[in-house]
Amino acid sequence: MRDGRQAEVSVRRVGNAWEVTVEGNIHRVEMLPIHAGMSALFRPDGRNYAVASQRLARNHWRVSLAQRHFEVRLHDPLERAVSGSAAAHAGPHEVCAPIPGRVVSVAVAEGDAVRAGQPLLVLEAMKMENQISAEGPGKVERVLVVPGETVDGGQVLVVVQ
Amino acid sequence: MRDGRQAEVSVRRVGNAWEVTVEGNIHRVEMLPIHAGMSALFRPDGRNYAVASQRLARNHWRVSLAQRHFEVRLHDPLERAVSGSAAAHAGPHEVCAPIPGRVVSVAVAEGDAVRAGQPLLVLEAMKMENQISAEGPGKVERVLVVPGETVDGGQVLVVVQ
Amino acid sequence: MRILIANRGEIAVRLVRACRELGHESVGVYSDVDRTQPHVLAADLAVRIGPAPARESYLNQDTIIAAARSTGAGAVHPGYGFLAENAGFAKLVEASGLIWIGPPPDVIELLGSKTAAREVARSVGVPVVPGSDALPDAAAARAFAAEVGYPVLLKAVGGGGGKGMRIARSDAEVEEAFARAASEGKAFFADARVYAEKLIERPRHIEVQILGDRHGNLVHVGERECSLQRRHQKVFEECPSVAVDAALRARLGAAALAVAGTVGYRSAGTVEFLLAPSGEFFFLEVNTRLQVEHPITEAVYGVDLAQLMIREALGEALPLRQGDLAPRGHALECRVYAEDPLRGFAPSPGTIHHLERPDGPGVRVESGVREGSVVPLDYDPILAKLVVWAEDRPAALRRLRRALTEYRIAGIATTLPLFRLLLDVPEFTAGELHTGLLDELLSRGPVQSLEAAGDPALEEAAIVAAACLAAEEAEHLPRDGFESAEREGREWRLVGRSQLHGRGPR
Amino acid sequence: MRILIANRGEIAVRLVRACRELGHESVGVYSDVDRTQPHVLAADLAVRIGPAPARESYLNQDTIIAAARSTGAGAVHPGYGFLAENAGFAKLVEASGLIWIGPPPDVIELLGSKTAAREVARSVGVPVVPGSDALPDAAAARAFAAEVGYPVLLKAVGGGGGKGMRIARSDAEVEEAFARAASEGKAFFADARVYAEKLIERPRHIEVQILGDRHGNLVHVGERECSLQRRHQKVFEECPSVAVDAALRARLGAAALAVAGTVGYRSAGTVEFLLAPSGEFFFLEVNTRLQVEHPITEAVYGVDLAQLMIREALGEALPLRQGDLAPRGHALECRVYAEDPLRGFAPSPGTIHHLERPDGPGVRVESGVREGSVVPLDYDPILAKLVVWAEDRPAALRRLRRALTEYRIAGIATTLPLFRLLLDVPEFTAGELHTGLLDELLSRGPVQSLEAAGDPALEEAAIVAAACLAAEEAEHLPRDGFESAEREGREWRLVGRSQLHGRGPR
C-alpha cells in the first residue's frame, strides 16, 4: 500500500460473508480461519488470498497478504480507518514503537503531563538510538514498557490521554 | 513410546527449570516457548528438542518430539501418569475419539444411565464406521458432540460420571 | 493462457507452480471440504465444484467444464487419478473447445484396456508376461494355468492399483481368486471381466518415462524403480534403478518407444515393466498421465516434466534430444500418506496441528497440505512427497535419513515413520528390492516393535517434555468454582496472546 | 566424529545438515539471545557460549574451545564470518588438538593481507588491478593516482565487505577518502594502514570456487557472478555468469588454481576477480572459507561443498576430477536480510510472526530462522538464502518469480520485496550487470514507488482483509466495564483455543 495512505472503510457482517465498503466501493467477501494468525480471503470473482495477521495492541493489527504488509487501527466497532505501513503514525492516544528494538530508558511516569515533542523514551535497534516523543500535549495515562525490554515494531509503548 | 506404556511421573518447578521424576529417575530440564504449540526442551547434557504440543481436552495433551507422538493425561496438579500413544485408553470419566472422524449418530443424552459396553455413539472415518461404547457403568454427565460434527483423534466425545 | 487444474492436493499445487513458471494463469477447483487447502489458495482463481464426495466434485465432468468456461480457461490439466485417464473426459474437454493437456483421447482409450495394451506390445515385439484374454470362468483360468504353470495372477480387465487382483498358486485356489477379482472389478471399475497372467516371482517394478510431441519427436527419460509397494500400492520410488545399467536402459527405452510410437503417443507417459531376477523384462501397461513419482526423473535428468507436458499441449516442439538426456546422481521419493503404519496403516484423517518441512541441499517436498489443514475423509490419503537427490545412492540414503529427522507432522498419523524404519533394513539399503519385499517386511512383525527399538533417551525426553507441558498448562487451569475460573480465565487469555506474539527468550 | 560448529543462523544449520549426512554428530553453540534458534535445536548437542554481544560469545575463542572440549568434539567448522578467516583461531584450534575444518592457518594468514595476496597473484603471472603497497599518507595516494589515473580506490589493508573502502575521483577527494578508509580500518579491523588501487568502472564481480586436499589434488568448480551489490555487500549471486563462456571459464579457473597452488591451498576457497567490460580480468583477493553463495555452485555442478570440506579436513582425498566437473543449468541466489528496502534498508530486528518458505521443483531455502524466531539486534542481518535452479537463466528467473510469490515473512521487514522488483528491471533480466548497478537503481528513485506500481486489486484486497480481521476480532473485545470484560474474556479464550486447534472448514 502507498505509504501512509488513509482509507475510509466500513464493515458489515452478512451471514458468513462480510460486506466491506472501501471509499464507496462495496466488496462482498468471505473470510475463513486456517490456523493461528492465518486466514483465507475469498472474493466473488474467484480470487483467494492467504492472510497472515498479528494483533499488536488492543485496537491495532498488522496484516500481511501476498508479501505486502499493512497496519490497521480500529476506531469504532462499525467504522475503521486503514492506514499504510507507516507505523510511526501513532493513533491519537497511543505511542507505538516505529521499529522493533530494546527500550534503553523511559523519561516519563504515569500521571505526568507532557507537551508536544517532549521525549518519552529511548529505543535502541541494531546499535542506533531513537528518541520517541509525544506527538501532542496531554497526560501520560499508562507506560507499558520498562528499560531493557524488547518490543515489536508497532507495539504500544505509552498511552497519552 | 511402546504402545500403552504407563509411567509414574512427578513434576516440580525449580525456578525457571523443572525437576521431573520418571519412575525414580530425576531429570532437571528447562522448557522455553517458541511459537503457538511449539516449545524447546533443554537437557543439562546439551541435548535439545523441539516439542510440538496440542491440548485435546481439559486434562489431555498430545505431544510430538523428534517425529514421535505421545498422549498425556493429567491426574492431579502434582502427580501425572504418562501413557503411550494408545489414545483408545480413555480416562476414567472421558470417552475420547480413537481416531479422527465424523460423528454419524449419538445414542445417549446427558443424564442417561449407561452400563459397561453400552453403545454411546458411532464414528465414521474414511468409509469405516466405529461404534464407541462406555467402558464402565455410570451416568452421562455431558455429550460434547453432535451428529455430522468432525472430531480430532483423542477429542473428548462424552463424559461419563 | 489460463489453465484449469482438475485435481486437488500436492499434484494440483505442483501444476499451479508449473503454470506460473510458464507465465500462464491457473484455475483451481475445490469441493466444500477443500476450500482453504493450499491448492486452492495457490491458484490464481478458484472455483467451487461441489460437495465433498469425489463423484459430486472432482469427478463431476460437467461442473469442471463449466468452471473452465466461467473462468475463461483455455486448457485443462487433469493431474493424476480422478479424471486423468478418463478418455471420455478428455474427449469432452476437446469437444468443449478446450485444450486437453495429455495424450490424445483415443490413445488413452486404447491403452486403458490392459488386454489391448498387451496386444500393442506384442505387435511390436515387446515381451509381455504370458497371459490370457478375458476368461469366461474359473475353469478357463485353470486351463491357462495348466499351460504356463502356477502361480498365476487373476486380474480384473479394468483394474489397477492393486484393486481387482488375486494370486492363485494351485487349481484349488483358482475358484475363489477368480470370484474375488471379478467382484472387485465390478465394484471398483464397473467391469466384472477377468483375465489371467503368469506370475513372475520376486520381480522389480521398472517403468520408463516417455515424452512425445505432435511434431514427430519421441524420447524416453530413463527408468524409475517402484518395487517397494504395499498391497500393490507404490510407497517409495527411485531413479535410476540399481538393477539397470546403460545397456539395459537403452533396451528398456527402445521397448517403451516402440510401444508409444506405434500408437502415436504424445505428451508425458510411463511404460511399466516387470524385471525378472533372470534379467528379462516384460511389458505391463502404459500410464497415460503424469506419474506421482515424476519428480525423481526431473531431479536426475534436469528436466521439468510438468512444464514440458503443458508446452507440448500448446503446440510447442519438444526441446529435448535423446542424446542429451543423461542421468546425474540418484533420487529417492517417499510417499507421505495419511495412514498409521503403527496401526496397520489405518486411515488417519483430521487436522494437521503442526507441520515442519525439511529443506536444504538436495531436498524437495511436494506438499498438498499446510499447518492447520484438515485432511478430509473423502479422498486418496496422499499428503505430500519427499524427494531427495544426491551424487549417488548411498549419499541419497544418508540425505533421506537427515531429511526425515527434520520432517514433522503432528495431529494426524503419517507413513513417515515407515521410511525411517526402512533405512535400517539391509535389503532396502542394498537395493535388493522386489515388489513383494515390503509386504514381507511388514508381515515379519509389527512395525511398532521396530519403532520401539528407537533411541530410549529420546523416549525419556518425550515423557519429560510431556510432563512439563502438562504441568505448565495445568498452572492455568480453573481449579475450584466460578470465581477462580474467572481469575484463571484471564490468566489463560494472557498466555494465549503471548504465544500468538511468538515471543522468544528475553 | 563430533564436530563443533562455531557459528549461528543459516550457515550453522547448513553445516549441521552436512555433518548429519556424513554420519557425524554436531555441536551447536549459542549466545543468550539465540537459545531457541533453529541452529541450536538442529544440532545434536548445544552449548551456551555467552551473552548476546558477538565478542562475548561467537567471537570468544577460549569459550568455544572449552565448548568443544566439554562435548568431546574432535573438529571445528567456523562457517563464514565471525572466526572463519581468523588465522589465530585456526591455530588455537589445532594447538588444542582439534581438527580445523578449513585451509591451513598460515595460508589464511598469508592471504588475509590484501597486499600480500596481490603479491602472490603477481608472482604467478595473474593480472591484478594496478595498486600500491600500504601508503604513508594522502600525498602518497595522490602520487599513485597521478601514475595510474583517476578514479582510484583507497582501501584499508585489513578491510573487506565494503568496510574501509573509499573512492577518490580527483586530487581534491583524496584527503578525506584516505582519512575515512584509515579510521574505518582502525575501527573495524584494528589496522589503520591504507593502500590505493586503480578503480575499474562498471566491472563484474566474478569469483572462482576452488577445492584442494592434502594429497595434491586441486580443482576449480567454475565461477559465480556476484555483481549485484549494495554498498559493496553482495545481495544476489548466480552461477554460471552470463559473461563467462567455456574458454574464459578455463582461463579464470587456471588463474585461480595458479594462485591457490603456489600457496599450498587446501579445503574450499574462493578466488575473486574483477571482469572489465573489455573482457580482461584482474585478481582481487582470496576468501579462505566456505562462501555464503556456495549453494548455487552446488546446484549447477552437482557437488556438496560443505561435505567435501569436512571430508578433506578428516584426511580424505578429493573425489573430484577436473574433467568430470561440468555445469548443468543455471542457479540464482537471493540473500534475505532483516533490512527494510522500503525504508532505506533500515535494520529490522524483531519477532517473525509468520513464515512460509517456498518449495517445489528447483527451489532450495537455507534458513536460519523459523516462525516465532526472534531476530536479535546483535548480529549480521542475514535470515536465509533463496536458491533456485532451472535448465537455463530465463527459466531460473521465471522460477524465482514463482518462488517469491510463495515466500512470506511477516512481523519484520526483509529484502524479499527488492528481488520482486529486480525481476522487472531490464538490465537485471538481460544480465547486463556490474558492481554499481544496484546502487544506481536504488538512487534512481525510492523503492516504494516501484513497489506501489504493484497490482492495485491486491491493495484493495488487503484493505478488505484487514477490515474483516479487525471487525472479527473487534467482536471479541471488551466493550464496557469490568463485568462485560469478564464475559468477553471467556469468549476470547474460546477463540484462542479453537485457533490453536487449527480447525478448518466444516
Side-chain angles (χ1 to χ4, degrees):
Chain A
M1 175 177 308
R2 290 179 293 285
D3 217 27
R5 169 179 174 186
Q6 299 276 338
E8 272 316 304
V9 179
S10 71
V11 184
R12 211 156 56 79
R13 188 188 269 290
V14 186
N16 293 339
W18 296 92
E19 197 175 83
V20 183
T21 312
V22 182
E23 291 166 337
N25 305 323
I26 297 177
H27 306 259
R28 185 60 96 78
V29 299
E30 280 187 72
M31 197 92 180
L32 292 171
I34 294 179
H35 199 54
M38 277 295 297
S39 310
L41 175 77
F42 299 89
R43 295 188 350 183
D45 64 359
R47 304 256 165 206
N48 304 332
Y49 303 95
V51 179
S53 62
Q54 177 182 16
R55 190 143 180 259
L56 299 171
R58 185 177 169 293
N59 62 354
H60 184 188
W61 290 266
R62 182 185 290 133
V63 172
S64 305
L65 172 147
Q67 308 91 42
R68 307 277 293 274
H69 306 290
F70 302 84
E71 303 221 350
V72 189
R73 277 194 185 66
L74 167 70
H75 286 304
D76 120 21
L78 295 174
E79 284 263 318
R80 282 148 194 72
V82 180
S83 79
S85 45
H89 300 177
H93 303 310
E94 297 175 343
V95 180
C96 300
I99 57 170
R102 192 176 284 136
V103 177
V104 177
S105 61
V106 179
V108 295
E110 298 188 356
D112 290 4
V114 292
R115 54 182 198 296
Q118 177 175 335
L120 300 175
L121 48 78
V122 176
L123 202 60
E124 177 199 271
M126 285 176 172
K127 308 270 172 290
M128 295 175 336
E129 292 203 341
N130 309 270
Q131 188 169 77
I132 312 298
S133 308
E135 295 196 337
K139 186 155 153 304
V140 175
E141 189 181 279
R142 297 189 57 194
V143 176
L144 296 152
V145 294
V146 296
E149 181 173 354
T150 303
V151 297
D152 290 341
Q155 185 174 333
V156 179
L157 307 170
V158 175
V159 180
V160 178
Q161 201 52 278
Chain B
M1 174 178 308
R2 290 179 291 286
D3 216 28
R5 170 179 174 185
Q6 299 277 340
E8 274 315 304
V9 180
S10 72
V11 183
R12 211 155 57 80
R13 188 187 269 289
V14 186
N16 293 338
W18 296 92
E19 197 175 82
V20 183
T21 312
V22 181
E23 291 167 335
N25 304 323
I26 298 177
H27 305 258
R28 186 59 98 76
V29 300
E30 279 187 74
M31 198 89 182
L32 293 171
I34 294 178
H35 199 54
M38 277 294 298
S39 311
L41 174 75
F42 299 88
R43 294 187 353 182
D45 64 358
R47 304 257 164 204
N48 305 332
Y49 304 95
V51 179
S53 63
Q54 177 181 17
R55 189 142 180 258
L56 299 172
R58 184 177 171 293
N59 62 354
H60 182 189
W61 291 265
R62 181 185 290 132
V63 172
S64 305
L65 170 147
Q67 307 90 44
R68 305 277 295 275
H69 307 290
F70 303 83
E71 302 222 349
V72 189
R73 276 194 185 66
L74 167 70
H75 285 305
D76 125 19
L78 296 173
E79 284 266 316
R80 280 145 197 73
V82 180
S83 77
S85 44
H89 301 177
H93 303 310
E94 297 175 344
V95 180
C96 300
I99 58 171
R102 191 177 285 136
V103 176
V104 177
S105 62
V106 179
V108 295
E110 299 188 355
D112 290 4
V114 294
R115 53 181 198 297
Q118 178 175 334
L120 301 175
L121 48 78
V122 176
L123 202 61
E124 177 200 272
M126 284 172 176
K127 309 272 173 287
M128 294 175 335
E129 293 203 342
N130 310 271
Q131 189 170 76
I132 312 297
S133 308
E135 294 196 338
K139 186 154 153 304
V140 175
E141 189 180 279
R142 298 189 57 196
V143 176
L144 297 152
V145 294
V146 296
E149 180 173 354
T150 303
V151 297
D152 290 342
Q155 184 174 334
V156 179
L157 307 171
V158 175
V159 180
V160 177
Q161 201 54 277
Chain C
M1 171 64 76
R2 192 172 278 178
I3 298 172
L4 181 136
I5 295 156
N7 216 301
R8 67 182 298 280
E10 65 87 18
I11 190 61
V13 173
R14 166 72 182 101
L15 294 171
V16 166
R17 285 169 168 157
C19 289
R20 190 157 291 158
E21 292 179 3
L22 289 172
H24 301 306
E25 274 204 313
S26 54
V27 178
V29 295
Y30 60 91
S31 73
D32 290 334
V33 289
D34 277 347
R35 187 160 191 190
T36 57
Q37 299 289 12
H39 80 273
V40 179
L41 297 174
D44 294 299
L45 291 169
V47 183
R48 175 185 181 276
I49 51 168
R55 94 193 61 75
E56 299 171 49
S57 51
Y58 298 103
L59 291 174
N60 187 334
Q61 304 188 18
D62 296 336
T63 319
I64 290 169
I65 297 294
R69 284 241 176 70
S70 70
T71 53
V76 174
H77 197 308
Y80 58 72
F82 291 128
L83 299 166
E85 290 173 287
N86 183 318
F89 180 64
K91 285 174 182 159
L92 177 60
V93 167
E94 295 188 342
S96 308
L98 303 167
I99 294 167
W100 168 254
I101 302 177
D106 58 324
V107 172
I108 296 175
E109 190 159 35
L110 170 65
L111 298 175
S113 153
K114 306 280 171 293
T115 46
R118 289 158 50 85
E119 272 322 306
V120 170
R122 273 207 206 84
S123 72
V124 291
V126 172
V128 300
V129 175
S132 74
D133 296 333
L135 298 167
D137 53 25
R142 276 190 294 272
F144 169 81
E147 209 175 283
V148 303
Y150 283 103
V152 297
L153 210 50
L154 293 169
K155 296 166 109 175
V157 169
K163 296 237 168 38
M165 205 187 269
R166 284 288 180 283
I167 297 174
R169 299 190 172 277
S170 69
D171 280 348
E173 294 177 16
V174 171
E175 198 71 45
E176 192 200 349
F178 189 94
R180 291 285 213 80
S183 64
E184 286 191 11
K186 192 164 191 355
F188 292 111
F189 315 104
D191 183 349
R193 288 176 304 152
V194 171
Y195 68 99
E197 226 174 58
K198 164 83 176 159
L199 173 63
I200 311 294
E201 304 240 56
R202 302 175 66 84
R204 291 174 186 261
H205 176 113
I206 304 289
E207 58 185 33
V208 175
Q209 176 68 51
I210 56 171
L211 271 174
D213 65 21
R214 60 200 72 201
H215 307 284
N217 301 305
L218 185 64
V219 300
H220 74 84
V221 194
E223 83 287 357
R224 293 180 289 258
E225 170 154 13
C226 317
S227 301
L228 271 203
Q229 308 178 355
R230 181 178 162 273
R231 302 185 183 167
H232 302 282
Q233 274 287 5
K234 299 170 184 172
V235 300
F236 176 92
E237 302 96 351
E238 60 186 289
C239 173
S241 164
V242 296
V244 176
D245 59 15
L248 180 53
R249 181 169 302 122
R251 285 170 51 224
L252 283 163
L257 293 181
V259 172
T262 192
V263 298
Y265 202 95
R266 54 179 171 74
S267 188
T270 297
V271 184
E272 297 189 328
F273 298 93
L274 278 187
L275 178 63
S278 65
E280 41 177 2
F281 61 81
F282 305 93
F283 170 88
L284 276 184
E285 60 176 290
V286 180
N287 297 137
T288 56
R289 59 161 194 267
L290 186 65
Q291 205 87 323
V292 174
E293 57 270 26
H294 73 277
I296 54 178
T297 297
E298 294 183 328
V300 169
Y301 284 85
V303 298
D304 190 310
L305 296 170
Q307 286 188 22
L308 288 168
M309 214 175 153
I310 294 168
R311 290 166 62 183
E312 189 284 326
L314 300 183
E316 264 188 65
L318 205 60
L320 307 175
R321 295 292 161 268
Q322 191 68 63
D324 307 337
L325 293 167
R328 182 166 96 174
H330 199 94
L332 311 171
E333 174 180 280
C334 300
R335 296 190 185 191
V336 184
Y337 286 121
E339 296 176 341
D340 189 348
L342 304 184
R343 297 190 207 166
F345 293 85
S348 174
T351 301
I352 294 178
H353 173 65
H354 176 69
L355 172 61
E356 257 175 283
R357 283 186 283 110
D359 206 327
V363 174
R364 166 181 174 185
V365 178
E366 291 289 321
S367 181
V369 293
R370 49 159 297 135
E371 196 160 281
S373 290
V374 175
V375 179
L377 317 169
D378 310 277
Y379 313 109
D380 182 286
I382 193 162
L383 300 174
K385 301 178 307 201
L386 169 58
V387 181
V388 301
W389 176 94
E391 316 83 79
D392 54 36
R393 191 174 190 268
L397 288 170
R398 291 194 301 272
R399 179 158 283 166
L400 176 58
R401 188 185 289 275
R402 184 273 293 178
L404 286 169
T405 66
E406 298 176 11
Y407 206 160
R408 295 147 184 256
I409 298 178
I412 64 171
T414 74
T415 46
L416 282 173
L418 175 67
F419 301 110
R420 282 188 288 274
L421 300 175
L422 280 172
L423 286 169
D424 296 323
V425 173
E427 298 95 319
F428 176 74
T429 51
E432 294 158 3
L433 311 176
H434 62 86
T435 57
L437 176 62
L438 183 54
D439 290 323
E440 279 175 29
L441 291 172
L442 295 173
S443 65
R444 273 186 211 164
V447 178
Q448 47 269 61
S449 66
L450 297 162
E451 179 76 342
D455 181 356
L458 198 63
E459 180 165 323
E460 290 310 292
I463 297 175
V464 169
C468 291
L469 283 159
E472 186 140 26
E473 296 205 41
E475 292 180 350
H476 305 291
L477 287 178
R479 278 188 196 77
D480 46 43
F482 189 76
E483 179 25 59
S484 103
E486 293 297 352
R487 193 184 67 253
E488 300 293 338
R490 296 217 300 292
E491 272 184 32
W492 170 263
R493 178 179 60 188
L494 291 173
V495 170
R497 287 169 65 186
S498 72
Q499 284 180 334
L500 286 173
H501 279 263
R503 285 269 160 67
R506 292 292 166 90
Chain D
M1 169 67 76
R2 192 172 278 177
I3 297 172
L4 183 136
I5 296 156
N7 215 301
R8 67 181 298 279
E10 65 87 17
I11 190 61
V13 172
R14 166 73 182 101
L15 294 171
V16 166
R17 285 169 167 155
C19 289
R20 190 157 291 158
E21 292 179 4
L22 289 171
H24 301 306
E25 274 204 313
S26 54
V27 178
V29 295
Y30 60 91
S31 72
D32 290 334
V33 289
D34 277 347
R35 188 161 190 187
T36 58
Q37 300 288 12
H39 80 273
V40 179
L41 296 175
D44 294 299
L45 291 169
V47 183
R48 176 186 180 275
I49 52 169
R55 93 194 62 75
E56 298 171 50
S57 50
Y58 298 102
L59 291 173
N60 187 335
Q61 304 188 18
D62 295 336
T63 318
I64 289 169
I65 296 294
R69 284 241 175 72
S70 70
T71 53
V76 175
H77 196 308
Y80 58 73
F82 290 127
L83 298 167
E85 291 174 285
N86 183 317
F89 180 64
K91 285 175 182 155
L92 176 60
V93 167
E94 294 189 341
S96 309
L98 302 167
I99 294 167
W100 167 254
I101 301 176
D106 59 324
V107 172
I108 296 175
E109 189 159 36
L110 170 65
L111 298 174
S113 154
K114 306 280 171 293
T115 46
R118 289 157 51 84
E119 272 322 308
V120 170
R122 274 206 206 84
S123 72
V124 291
V126 171
V128 301
V129 176
S132 74
D133 295 335
L135 298 166
D137 53 27
R142 277 190 294 273
F144 169 81
E147 208 175 286
V148 302
Y150 283 103
V152 297
L153 209 49
L154 294 169
K155 297 168 108 176
V157 169
K163 296 237 168 41
M165 204 188 269
R166 284 288 181 282
I167 297 174
R169 298 190 171 277
S170 70
D171 280 350
E173 293 178 18
V174 171
E175 198 72 44
E176 192 198 350
F178 190 95
R180 291 287 212 81
S183 64
E184 286 190 10
K186 195 168 191 351
F188 292 111
F189 316 102
D191 182 350
R193 290 175 303 153
V194 170
Y195 69 98
E197 224 172 59
K198 165 81 175 158
L199 174 63
I200 310 294
E201 304 241 55
R202 302 176 67 83
R204 291 175 186 260
H205 176 113
I206 304 289
E207 59 185 33
V208 175
Q209 176 68 51
I210 56 170
L211 272 173
D213 64 21
R214 60 201 72 201
H215 307 284
N217 302 305
L218 186 65
V219 300
H220 74 83
V221 195
E223 82 287 357
R224 293 181 290 257
E225 169 152 15
C226 316
S227 299
L228 272 200
Q229 307 179 355
R230 181 177 164 273
R231 301 186 183 166
H232 302 283
Q233 273 286 6
K234 299 170 183 172
V235 299
F236 176 93
E237 303 96 352
E238 60 187 289
C239 172
S241 165
V242 296
V244 176
D245 58 15
L248 180 52
R249 181 169 301 121
R251 286 170 53 224
L252 283 162
L257 294 181
V259 172
T262 191
V263 299
Y265 201 94
R266 54 180 170 74
S267 189
T270 297
V271 184
E272 298 189 327
F273 298 92
L274 279 187
L275 179 62
S278 64
E280 42 177 0
F281 61 81
F282 306 93
F283 170 89
L284 276 183
E285 60 175 290
V286 181
N287 296 136
T288 56
R289 58 161 194 270
L290 186 64
Q291 205 86 323
V292 174
E293 57 270 25
H294 73 276
I296 53 179
T297 298
E298 294 183 328
V300 169
Y301 285 84
V303 297
D304 190 310
L305 296 170
Q307 286 189 21
L308 288 167
M309 215 176 153
I310 294 168
R311 290 166 61 184
E312 188 284 327
L314 299 183
E316 264 188 65
L318 206 60
L320 308 174
R321 295 292 161 267
Q322 191 67 64
D324 307 336
L325 292 168
R328 181 165 98 175
H330 199 95
L332 310 171
E333 175 180 279
C334 299
R335 296 191 185 191
V336 185
Y337 287 121
E339 294 175 342
D340 189 346
L342 303 184
R343 297 189 206 166
F345 293 84
S348 175
T351 300
I352 294 178
H353 173 67
H354 176 69
L355 173 61
E356 257 175 284
R357 283 187 281 110
D359 207 328
V363 173
R364 166 181 173 185
V365 178
E366 292 288 321
S367 182
V369 293
R370 48 158 297 136
E371 196 160 282
S373 289
V374 175
V375 179
L377 317 169
D378 311 277
Y379 313 111
D380 183 286
I382 193 163
L383 301 173
K385 301 178 308 201
L386 169 59
V387 181
V388 301
W389 176 93
E391 316 82 79
D392 53 36
R393 190 173 191 268
L397 288 170
R398 290 195 301 271
R399 179 158 284 165
L400 176 58
R401 189 185 289 273
R402 184 273 292 179
L404 287 169
T405 65
E406 298 177 11
Y407 206 160
R408 295 147 183 256
I409 298 178
I412 66 172
T414 74
T415 47
L416 283 173
L418 175 68
F419 301 111
R420 282 189 287 273
L421 300 175
L422 281 173
L423 286 169
D424 296 324
V425 174
E427 298 95 318
F428 176 74
T429 51
E432 293 159 3
L433 313 176
H434 63 86
T435 57
L437 177 62
L438 182 54
D439 289 324
E440 279 176 29
L441 290 172
L442 294 174
S443 65
R444 272 185 213 163
V447 179
Q448 47 268 59
S449 66
L450 297 163
E451 178 77 342
D455 180 357
L458 197 63
E459 179 164 325
E460 290 310 292
I463 297 175
V464 169
C468 292
L469 284 159
E472 184 139 27
E473 296 206 40
E475 292 181 349
H476 305 290
L477 286 178
R479 277 187 196 79
D480 47 43
F482 187 77
E483 179 24 60
S484 102
E486 293 297 353
R487 194 185 65 252
E488 300 295 336
R490 295 218 300 292
E491 273 183 31
W492 168 266
R493 177 180 61 187
L494 291 174
V495 171
R497 286 169 65 184
S498 73
Q499 284 180 334
L500 287 174
H501 279 262
R503 285 271 158 67
R506 293 289 165 91

